[in-house]
mmCIF file of all heavy atoms in Angstrom:
data_model
loop_
_atom_site.group_PDB
_atom_site.id
_atom_site.type_symbol
_atom_site.label_atom_id
_atom_site.label_comp_id
_atom_site.label_asym_id
_atom_site.label_seq_id
_atom_site.Cartn_x
_atom_site.Cartn_y
_atom_site.Cartn_z
ATOM 1 N N SER G 474 -160.609 82.051 147.723
ATOM 2 C CA SER G 474 -160.207 83.077 146.729
ATOM 3 C C SER G 474 -158.828 83.628 147.070
ATOM 4 O O SER G 474 -158.469 83.772 148.252
ATOM 5 C CB SER G 474 -161.225 84.214 146.700
ATOM 6 O OG SER G 474 -162.511 83.715 146.371
ATOM 7 N N TRP G 475 -158.065 83.956 146.025
ATOM 8 C CA TRP G 475 -156.708 84.444 146.199
ATOM 9 C C TRP G 475 -156.711 85.986 146.262
ATOM 10 O O TRP G 475 -157.368 86.649 145.485
ATOM 11 C CB TRP G 475 -155.803 84.003 145.078
ATOM 12 C CG TRP G 475 -154.462 84.653 145.159
ATOM 13 C CD1 TRP G 475 -153.946 85.662 144.401
ATOM 14 C CD2 TRP G 475 -153.421 84.320 146.110
ATOM 15 N NE1 TRP G 475 -152.688 85.997 144.810
ATOM 16 C CE2 TRP G 475 -152.341 85.193 145.847
ATOM 17 C CE3 TRP G 475 -153.330 83.399 147.141
ATOM 18 C CZ2 TRP G 475 -151.136 85.136 146.600
ATOM 19 C CZ3 TRP G 475 -152.149 83.340 147.893
ATOM 20 C CH2 TRP G 475 -151.092 84.185 147.601
ATOM 21 N N VAL G 476 -156.007 86.542 147.260
ATOM 22 C CA VAL G 476 -155.813 87.983 147.394
ATOM 23 C C VAL G 476 -154.317 88.235 147.499
ATOM 24 O O VAL G 476 -153.650 87.605 148.341
ATOM 25 C CB VAL G 476 -156.523 88.547 148.619
ATOM 26 C CG1 VAL G 476 -156.258 90.073 148.725
ATOM 27 C CG2 VAL G 476 -158.038 88.265 148.550
ATOM 28 N N ASP G 477 -153.793 89.136 146.672
ATOM 29 C CA ASP G 477 -152.350 89.384 146.665
ATOM 30 C C ASP G 477 -151.963 90.394 147.746
ATOM 31 O O ASP G 477 -151.956 91.598 147.507
ATOM 32 C CB ASP G 477 -151.935 89.901 145.278
ATOM 33 C CG ASP G 477 -150.399 90.052 145.161
ATOM 34 O OD1 ASP G 477 -149.705 89.605 146.073
ATOM 35 O OD2 ASP G 477 -149.940 90.614 144.157
ATOM 36 N N SER G 478 -151.675 89.890 148.921
ATOM 37 C CA SER G 478 -151.253 90.721 150.062
ATOM 38 C C SER G 478 -150.681 89.753 151.118
ATOM 39 O O SER G 478 -150.909 88.542 151.027
ATOM 40 C CB SER G 478 -152.411 91.514 150.652
ATOM 41 O OG SER G 478 -153.341 90.617 151.258
ATOM 42 N N PRO G 479 -149.981 90.281 152.124
ATOM 43 C CA PRO G 479 -149.492 89.366 153.174
ATOM 44 C C PRO G 479 -150.646 88.612 153.850
ATOM 45 O O PRO G 479 -150.539 87.415 154.068
ATOM 46 C CB PRO G 479 -148.826 90.318 154.162
ATOM 47 C CG PRO G 479 -148.344 91.449 153.296
ATOM 48 C CD PRO G 479 -149.395 91.630 152.285
ATOM 49 N N GLU G 480 -151.737 89.315 154.108
ATOM 50 C CA GLU G 480 -152.892 88.631 154.726
ATOM 51 C C GLU G 480 -153.476 87.630 153.741
ATOM 52 O O GLU G 480 -153.948 86.565 154.144
ATOM 53 C CB GLU G 480 -153.948 89.669 155.089
ATOM 54 C CG GLU G 480 -153.562 90.580 156.245
ATOM 55 C CD GLU G 480 -152.625 91.705 155.859
ATOM 56 O OE1 GLU G 480 -152.412 91.920 154.652
ATOM 57 O OE2 GLU G 480 -152.107 92.390 156.754
ATOM 58 N N GLY G 481 -153.434 87.956 152.454
ATOM 59 C CA GLY G 481 -153.926 87.034 151.412
ATOM 60 C C GLY G 481 -153.086 85.785 151.347
ATOM 61 O O GLY G 481 -153.600 84.662 151.130
ATOM 62 N N ILE G 482 -151.760 85.947 151.509
ATOM 63 C CA ILE G 482 -150.876 84.776 151.510
ATOM 64 C C ILE G 482 -151.197 83.868 152.677
ATOM 65 O O ILE G 482 -151.287 82.647 152.557
ATOM 66 C CB ILE G 482 -149.395 85.211 151.534
ATOM 67 C CG1 ILE G 482 -149.021 85.883 150.205
ATOM 68 C CG2 ILE G 482 -148.473 84.038 151.842
ATOM 69 C CD1 ILE G 482 -147.626 86.547 150.244
ATOM 70 N N ILE G 483 -151.386 84.472 153.861
ATOM 71 C CA ILE G 483 -151.725 83.662 155.040
ATOM 72 C C ILE G 483 -153.029 82.923 154.820
ATOM 73 O O ILE G 483 -153.150 81.735 155.081
ATOM 74 C CB ILE G 483 -151.793 84.555 156.291
ATOM 75 C CG1 ILE G 483 -150.422 85.093 156.643
ATOM 76 C CG2 ILE G 483 -152.386 83.796 157.474
ATOM 77 C CD1 ILE G 483 -150.421 86.185 157.684
ATOM 78 N N SER G 484 -154.027 83.629 154.263
ATOM 79 C CA SER G 484 -155.307 82.995 153.981
ATOM 80 C C SER G 484 -155.149 81.871 152.974
ATOM 81 O O SER G 484 -155.747 80.806 153.087
ATOM 82 C CB SER G 484 -156.303 84.037 153.436
ATOM 83 O OG SER G 484 -157.562 83.468 153.172
ATOM 84 N N GLY G 485 -154.263 82.106 151.942
ATOM 85 C CA GLY G 485 -154.029 81.069 150.939
ATOM 86 C C GLY G 485 -153.378 79.852 151.547
ATOM 87 O O GLY G 485 -153.730 78.715 151.225
ATOM 88 N N LEU G 486 -152.388 80.060 152.448
ATOM 89 C CA LEU G 486 -151.731 78.927 153.085
ATOM 90 C C LEU G 486 -152.675 78.216 154.013
ATOM 91 O O LEU G 486 -152.619 76.958 154.194
ATOM 92 C CB LEU G 486 -150.503 79.410 153.886
ATOM 93 C CG LEU G 486 -149.349 79.947 153.012
ATOM 94 C CD1 LEU G 486 -148.245 80.537 153.890
ATOM 95 C CD2 LEU G 486 -148.778 78.853 152.110
ATOM 96 N N GLN G 487 -153.610 78.940 154.635
ATOM 97 C CA GLN G 487 -154.663 78.299 155.443
ATOM 98 C C GLN G 487 -155.549 77.416 154.567
ATOM 99 O O GLN G 487 -155.931 76.302 154.975
ATOM 100 C CB GLN G 487 -155.512 79.368 156.142
ATOM 101 C CG GLN G 487 -154.772 80.073 157.278
ATOM 102 C CD GLN G 487 -155.630 81.184 157.887
ATOM 103 O OE1 GLN G 487 -156.555 81.717 157.236
ATOM 104 N NE2 GLN G 487 -155.336 81.570 159.118
ATOM 105 N N ALA G 488 -155.903 77.922 153.394
ATOM 106 C CA ALA G 488 -156.713 77.170 152.465
ATOM 107 C C ALA G 488 -155.996 75.881 152.032
ATOM 108 O O ALA G 488 -156.592 74.800 151.964
ATOM 109 C CB ALA G 488 -157.056 78.005 151.240
ATOM 110 N N VAL G 489 -154.700 76.007 151.788
ATOM 111 C CA VAL G 489 -153.887 74.827 151.411
ATOM 112 C C VAL G 489 -153.912 73.821 152.540
ATOM 113 O O VAL G 489 -154.151 72.617 152.327
ATOM 114 C CB VAL G 489 -152.439 75.270 151.104
ATOM 115 C CG1 VAL G 489 -151.494 74.036 151.054
ATOM 116 C CG2 VAL G 489 -152.396 76.036 149.787
ATOM 117 N N ALA G 490 -153.632 74.276 153.778
ATOM 118 C CA ALA G 490 -153.565 73.363 154.898
ATOM 119 C C ALA G 490 -154.925 72.705 155.144
ATOM 120 O O ALA G 490 -155.018 71.487 155.343
ATOM 121 C CB ALA G 490 -153.109 74.099 156.166
ATOM 122 N N ALA G 491 -155.969 73.500 155.141
ATOM 123 C CA ALA G 491 -157.331 72.953 155.347
ATOM 124 C C ALA G 491 -157.667 71.898 154.303
ATOM 125 O O ALA G 491 -158.235 70.858 154.592
ATOM 126 C CB ALA G 491 -158.347 74.063 155.334
ATOM 127 N N SER G 492 -157.296 72.173 153.063
ATOM 128 C CA SER G 492 -157.628 71.253 151.952
ATOM 129 C C SER G 492 -156.815 69.968 152.067
ATOM 130 O O SER G 492 -157.329 68.853 151.825
ATOM 131 C CB SER G 492 -157.346 71.934 150.596
ATOM 132 O OG SER G 492 -158.162 73.083 150.448
#
Side-chain angles (χ1 to χ4, degrees):
S474 300
W475 174 255
V476 178
D477 186 8
S478 67
E480 292 78 10
I482 290 172
I483 292 169
S484 181
L486 293 175
Q487 289 176 337
V489 167
S492 300

